[in-house]
Amino acid sequence: MIYKNYRRLLIFIFSALLGLLSSLTMPAWSNFSSLHANAASPLELAREGEQRYNAGELEAAAKLWEAAAEAYEKVGDRDGMTKSLINKSQALQDLGLYPKACNTLLQAFAIQNPNCSQIQIEQLQKNLAQKSDSLSLTQAIGLHSLGDVLRRQGLLQKSQEILQLSLSSIGESAEKSGVLVSLGNTERILGNQIRDRWDYDVVTDIIDRKSVVDALGPYNQAVNYYIQATKVASAPPIPKIQAQLNQFQLLLEMKRWWSEQTQRRIASWARFSESKLIQRGKDFLSGLELQLSQDAQALQNQILPNLATLAPSRAAIYAQINFADSLMQSGQINQVEPLLENALQQSRTLQSRRTETYALGYLGKLYDKQGQLNRAIKLTQQALILAQEQDISGDAREITYLWQSQLGSLLRKQGDPKGAIAAYTAAFNILQSLRSDLNANNQDVQFDFLQEVKPVYLELADLLLKSNLTDKELNSLMVSNSIINREKSENKNSQKRLELARQVIESLQLAELDNFFQDPCSETANVALQIDNIDANAAVIYPIVLPERLEVILSVPGKPLQQVVVPISEQEVNETLDRLYDNLDNLSINNSARNILSTSNPNPQELKENLQTLLPIFGEVYNWLIKPFEAELDPKQIKNLVFVLNGRLQRVPIAALYDGQNYLIEKYGIALVPSLQLLAPQQLEKKQLKVLAAGVSEQIKVQGQFFAALVNVPKELDQIQQTFPASEKLLNQEFTIKTIQKQLKSNFPVIHLATHGLFSSNPQKNFIITGDGQSISINELSALLKEPGTTIELLVLSACETATGDERAVLGLAGMAVRSGARSTLATLWPVGDASTAQFMGQFYEDLKKPEAKQADALRKAQLSLLESLKLNPPFEELQNLPPHPYYWASYVLVGNWQ
């Protein structure tokens, strides 16, 4: 048998989920040369595996390479075995089986009992780093593949480090370009994380300074790697064009994101006639778009001729589809059809079913954009059938999901709501099944949440809420985890429809929480919980913001679900909530309450005008969420209102909703929950209740930053100890990570932390300060509170605040509590003076002590005590005849279990 002395070109697999081409180096060899005369059998297995892989038969390829690896091992050919295992791992990656792919790679590196744990990865990294100068090309390629797997599992830092090690040991071989593309892909996702965790003020500051450099900063390293990848002289054409395609798509994404963010700021500034800021925003955006457009056009001019030179292959097909999708995103649809038709033809010539389903699906997307609905539907259905044919063991769910979702959208446009509901339900069920995979740390199925996942939930809820499906049609939907209480109403059909919609919204909340933390941070109840099962004196309100209307579902114990339609568009809702934020807490607006009250000598007239502006806005939100249900919310039965909020509603201080005479807190207790399914509903055990109360009262310097003294903290902690004598107090230097850890062994059900801290979407910005000048990150705090044997019922974060303008920070609070095992969290949306905090907390714990008091009751009474004292002693004479300003008292929120 003649062995050809060449290496196979790199194989690149399209990732529709991340919008990237993921550079992969497998199968790495068509030449399995061996010193052993009896090695023909393993060689034949390896080559047949390659043939099956090239034909798109991935499972068969993986099994053949596994058999080849075993055969090579028997004849003592370690190199042949390693190559076969690396190739097997590639097939597993393509199937989406990333944990298995990772274990296979560790096996290739001779790791015993591989389980892809962080310890094993770090040990391998340490061992290979010590001999990086002498690593073989086989090992370098194995590291490249491992770096790709780790990225898909969300382990971005490790992916980056492993790929750097691969790069340093791969030399100037043809594979260097592929490693650089992979590094670019990892850096791009790291850049997304940095950008998405900027709070409102950081983005505003970049726009205000017109700093294009800072705006593009998170992606500098990704762009550098992509550019380097195109300059590797020995590289084949595919990795070079892959780098160009990924960079092109990144430029388009940055342009879209910054346009949305800048237009939002300009709208805020326009409300306050901030002409200078408006002009700065426009200047920033025009400068940034000019630079990005020029760079994108230059790349586009290179990509088109480069694509034309590629020989037909799966990699070339994916490259054409990737480019076609980018052109559609940039509005250049006139150039798309030839690319996709060519990709489809090549797929059929090569008999590649997977590439064919993508080509058909994206052609459907193109015809949708051109208004050719019938053609779009037909092609999407063909793509879906092909995807389902390949979904032998659930390994093509992500492809199936894409086309079910697209089909739902198309059928809705065509005026077939029943067909659209069926398609969206199928997509929804796939997303629910993929959520269970996330628990196995398979994070590549975390689609672009805002662009691809959230719309499926909202579209399905939208269609269900206005559908007139029959009983049989509703039963046939079989929504995941759907248990409907059929005895709840005489109008069973209507109740099923609303119950399904409610469950979809609950699932959206869970999906958003998973996406926020980049892992499923919570176990959920295995049934669809309803308020009847939790609290007979509470009602749950689900506001659902849809493009053309606001829907609100009310769940009251023992009564049918109720639905109200508010005829207001999503744009109007967001504009109203932005006005509320601008006037209340926006640091970039001079006359926001936060800026007025942060000065040493606040202007009473400005504060009065601010309150007179805010009250009608709080009234408007009250009219949306509460007024339609006033007759149902009898305060004699309903004591607490529980809100499941999403989007910009999450940063609204719900307690301050205003009916024209009273604030909502004056009628009901208020709690926020991300989802009823996350609750472990039970009332706080008051007998022998004790609190671990820790705080910092002195001015403290942490990492060069000074934090002001909180002089009322000792009083706050003393009050807690007087109320609950079994409590433990840790003040200033006594409050350290070690002392907290030691005290937690005594099992305190309530943890009270009175210190500086911040909660935001950015884990690096989430911290609390200890008395020895250290900062504890949220992850560290969560781990600390989750020590074996500890059960935290309530975590109180006094003096901490949630990040300004960060709509997902409250979600972070909820998730942090869930992750740490705390059933609920009490925190503030904005900074509160420590004198009023001490008063508030004293009252809160006094009421919490009462045998029948729920946490929401105690919170309500503490807020009412602040309200009453402000009514009796207003801070300024000008405010005498007005309700107390919400900024003084409405910041406190209870997230999670309210009982």
Side-chain angles (χ1 to χ4, degrees), residues 13 47 121 129 196 221 280 320 506 525 606 675 775 788 792 796 823 830 835 844:
I13 305 302
R47 283 184 168 169
I121 299 292
D196 291 341
Q221 194 64 282
R280 294 180 74 81
Q320 291 171 81
E506 288 265 352
E606 283 185 348
S675 166
S775 63
I792 312 300
V796 179
R823 288 195 167 96
W830 56 79
F844 173 75

Side-chain angles (χ1 to χ4, degrees), residues 535-555:
D535 185 351
N537 301 116
V540 188
I541 295 173
Y542 299 84
I544 307 166
V545 182
L546 299 167
E548 301 304 324
R549 69 195 192 284
L550 171 66
E551 292 252 8
V552 189
I553 296 176
L554 173 69
S555 179

Side-chain angles (χ1 to χ4, degrees), residues 1 5 88 143 165 222 382 393 405 452 483 604 667 855:
M1 184 174 289
N5 210 0
K88 176 193 170 188
L143 285 170
L165 184 56
Q382 289 176 20
S393 56
S405 173
E452 295 179 356
I483 298 175
K667 289 185 182 178
Q855 294 175 54

Side-chain angles (χ1 to χ4, degrees), residues 44 102 188 233 323 350 360 411 414 567 656 736:
E44 287 169 1
C102 186
R188 176 176 171 178
F323 188 46
L350 296 174
L360 286 166
L411 291 172
Q414 197 186 46
T736 66

Side-chain angles (χ1 to χ4, degrees), residues 508-577:
L508 170 60
Q509 297 293 104
L510 294 172
E512 185 160 22
L513 205 56
D514 291 346
N515 174 262
F516 180 88
F517 283 104
Q518 296 297 295
D519 74 73
C521 61
S522 53
E523 292 297 320
T524 61
N526 60 4
V527 295
L529 281 176
Q530 296 169 325
I531 194 63
D532 307 57
N533 315 123
I534 301 171
D535 185 351
N537 301 116
V540 188
I541 295 173
Y542 299 84
I544 307 166
V545 182
L546 299 167
E548 301 304 324
R549 69 195 192 284
L550 171 66
E551 292 252 8
V552 189
I553 296 176
L554 173 69
S555 179
V556 176
K559 294 184 179 180
L561 292 175
Q562 291 190 50
Q563 170 191 11
V564 164
V565 179
V566 183
I568 182 172
S569 70
E570 180 179 18
Q571 183 180 344
E572 291 172 296
V573 169
N574 286 338
E575 284 175 358
T576 301
L577 299 180

